Amino acid sequence: MKRFNIAVLPGDGIGTEVTQAAVEVLKVATAAHSEFALEYSEYPAGAGEFRRSGDDLPPATLAACREADAVLLGAMGLPAVRRPDGRELTPQIDLREILDLYGGLRPIKLYHQQDTPLKNHGPGDIDIMLVRENTEGLFAARKNGIFDHDKATDQLVLTRKGCERICRMAFEQARARRKKATLVDKANVLPSMVFFRRIFLEVAEQYPDVQAECVYVDAMALYLVQRPHTFDVIVTENMFGDILSDLLAGIVGGMGFAPSADIGDDCAVFQPSHGTAPDIAGKGIANPVATILSAAMMLKWLPDPDAQACGERIESAVAAALLDPLNRCADVRGPLTTLEMTERIIQCL
Ligand code: ATP
């Protein structure tokens, strides 16, 4: 029997609640398979750990993430726990940089017409894979941006290596989907984006079977509201990806429906796109769907066909549960608690 070690980092706020829900679903789903097994080990990280030990990403946690077959993460950071310069703790972003998890895969799918604020859109109309560059761009300035009384500077850096590998990942995703890749940039204004577009079009030549197009980020914000059904894979810079992934979540029901995977060449971390949601933490009402779908992405990423099939079963169970409009948590005015929603998904397995 194949065994995979999963490092579980619940983190802060609703991170602990949704991680528990996802592990519960994983345990039930994998119990039906005798060909592989998951072994879970929990590690501390986040704002709570910073308060406790003075370190938001302890060396033992980092080492465990490197050694694990995959990492399942909840959410980290709390508004009240900050560094002396005012920034919140973001060990999940540190992890992406340290482990070189350059590919942020953020699938967005509409499961039921009632979840979208858009008119005339039903299931099947919104099915987009956002590929966010995770290690460069404007976010890379967060540790060396400078400001004084009169001036502040954050530098946006893109490298050829970084652009090539994220574009290749996007084209590979598109090839396995509906064969369309859209670069989102601001090449009409910023030289860094002219550079990015040039490399995207170079990589596109290696994928003649995939339709390649480029859209400016401001226009994309409009198009994602007006005609999301026309997009398949979207690839973009770190900060643009951060913003557009929330917009995308908004058109399918909110952050509780938005899973993600941060993929590198050696490691991968799976987590919901949302944060710790301190406004609802501890109430037991967080929507666990995003984390359960992230856990399914984790299984599909493992190098084992049985694990991959199990990931697909979880995705189908989520889709089946969401067919019933009453199977919803408070984020979309549903009646269920985190625990109840998790049970409904388990029943559909
Ligand atoms: P971060 O910057 O860490 O991504 P954020 O400040 O963008 O976090 P979130 O923590 O993602 O904020 O929360 C944004 C809003 O969405 C909050 O009102 C929160 O309650 C809600 N929210 C986020 N995730 C969920 C969830 N799983 N279930 C229900 N509501 C959620």
Side-chain angles (χ1 to χ4, degrees), residues 4 66 74 112 127-128 138 149 165-166 168 176 178 183 196 198-199 205 212 221 230 234 240 279 303:
F4 296 103
R66 281 191 205 281
H112 197 292
D127 184 359
I128 294 171
L138 200 50
H149 185 265
R165 65 185 184 177
I166 200 67
R168 269 199 304 275
R178 301 193 307 281
L183 173 74
F196 197 2
R198 217 171 263 173
I199 293 171
E205 285 177 17
T230 63
I234 294 171
F240 291 169
D279 51 340

Side-chain angles (χ1 to χ4, degrees), residues 89-160:
L89 301 161
T90 50
Q92 72 283 18
I93 302 179
D94 296 330
L95 206 53
R96 286 176 205 155
E97 288 174 2
I98 297 166
L99 301 179
D100 200 22
L101 309 175
Y102 59 89
L105 298 183
R106 299 184 164 205
I108 284 294
K109 213 171 180 170
L110 179 62
Y111 288 95
H112 197 292
Q113 198 169 3
Q114 71 164 19
D115 298 325
T116 182
L118 305 182
K119 272 187 240 159
N120 307 323
H121 279 85
D125 289 339
I126 305 178
D127 184 359
I128 294 171
M129 176 64 84
L130 178 80
V131 181
R132 167 185 176 185
E133 204 296 316
N134 262 345
T135 54
E136 324 190 307
L138 200 50
F139 269 48
R142 69 202 178 94
K143 284 184 180 151
N144 44 27
I146 42 171
F147 71 93
D148 58 27
H149 185 265
D150 300 311
K151 190 178 169 190
T153 309
D154 292 321
Q155 198 179 18
L156 191 162
V157 178
L158 295 175
T159 65
R160 170 163 284 276

Side-chain angles (χ1 to χ4, degrees), residues 174 178-182 210-211 213 227 230-234:
R178 301 193 307 281
K179 299 192 168 43
K180 182 175 174 186
T182 305
V210 176
Q211 183 196 343
E213 69 171 5
R227 52 176 178 88
T230 63
F231 298 102
D232 177 16
V233 173
I234 294 171

Side-chain angles (χ1 to χ4, degrees), residues 14 18 76 88 92 242 246 255-257 273-280 285-291 329-331:
I14 63 165
V18 291
M76 292 175 185
E88 272 189 47
Q92 72 283 18
D242 183 47
D246 276 31
M255 301 309 292
F257 294 87
S273 295
H274 60 74
T276 54
D279 51 340
I280 57 162
I285 57 167
N287 181 356
V289 165
T291 317
C329 293
D331 53 339

Side-chain angles (χ1 to χ4, degrees), residues 109-344:
K109 213 171 180 170
L110 179 62
Y111 288 95
H112 197 292
Q113 198 169 3
Q114 71 164 19
D115 298 325
T116 182
L118 305 182
K119 272 187 240 159
N120 307 323
H121 279 85
D125 289 339
I126 305 178
D127 184 359
I128 294 171
M129 176 64 84
L130 178 80
V131 181
R132 167 185 176 185
E133 204 296 316
N134 262 345
T135 54
E136 324 190 307
L138 200 50
F139 269 48
R142 69 202 178 94
K143 284 184 180 151
N144 44 27
I146 42 171
F147 71 93
D148 58 27
H149 185 265
D150 300 311
K151 190 178 169 190
T153 309
D154 292 321
Q155 198 179 18
L156 191 162
V157 178
L158 295 175
T159 65
R160 170 163 284 276
K161 179 184 165 199
C163 293
E164 280 179 356
R165 65 185 184 177
I166 200 67
C167 290
R168 269 199 304 275
M169 186 179 275
F171 279 101
E172 289 295 332
Q173 287 289 322
R175 189 168 260 177
R177 292 169 49 98
R178 301 193 307 281
K179 299 192 168 43
K180 182 175 174 186
T182 305
L183 173 74
V184 174
D185 63 28
K186 193 67 186 168
N188 52 339
V189 175
L190 297 173
S192 59
M193 295 289 157
V194 175
F195 174 83
F196 197 2
R197 184 177 283 209
R198 217 171 263 173
I199 293 171
F200 173 79
L201 294 173
E202 279 171 26
V203 175
E205 285 177 17
Q206 295 154 31
Y207 295 85
D209 53 321
V210 176
Q211 183 196 343
E213 69 171 5
C214 303
V215 174
Y216 299 136
V217 65
D218 44 345
M220 193 52 150
L222 177 74
Y223 297 157
L224 286 179
V225 174
Q226 286 182 334
R227 52 176 178 88
H229 54 279
T230 63
F231 298 102
D232 177 16
V233 173
I234 294 171
V235 56
T236 191
E237 179 269 340
N238 206 338
M239 177 81 157
F240 291 169
D242 183 47
I243 297 167
L244 290 181
S245 62
D246 276 31
L247 193 160
L248 280 163
I251 62 171
V252 295
M255 301 309 292
F257 294 87
S260 86
D262 296 314
I263 310 278
D265 291 332
D266 304 315
C267 303
V269 173
F270 299 83
Q271 62 181 312
S273 295
H274 60 74
T276 54
D279 51 340
I280 57 162
K283 296 183 178 163
I285 57 167
N287 181 356
V289 165
T291 317
I292 291 168
L293 288 172
S294 304
M297 289 178 83
M298 179 180 83
L299 285 172
K300 286 169 72 178
W301 179 82
L302 289 173
D304 181 83
D306 297 302
Q308 290 160 8
C310 186
E312 272 161 26
R313 273 183 58 226
I314 294 179
E315 281 178 354
S316 302
V318 170
L322 293 177
L323 278 177
D324 181 344
L326 288 178
N327 282 344
R328 295 291 184 287
C329 293
D331 53 339
V332 282
R333 301 207 194 108
L336 304 185
T337 63
T338 309
L339 211 64
E340 289 163 345
M341 185 67 212
T342 308
E343 278 164 8
R344 301 294 161 91

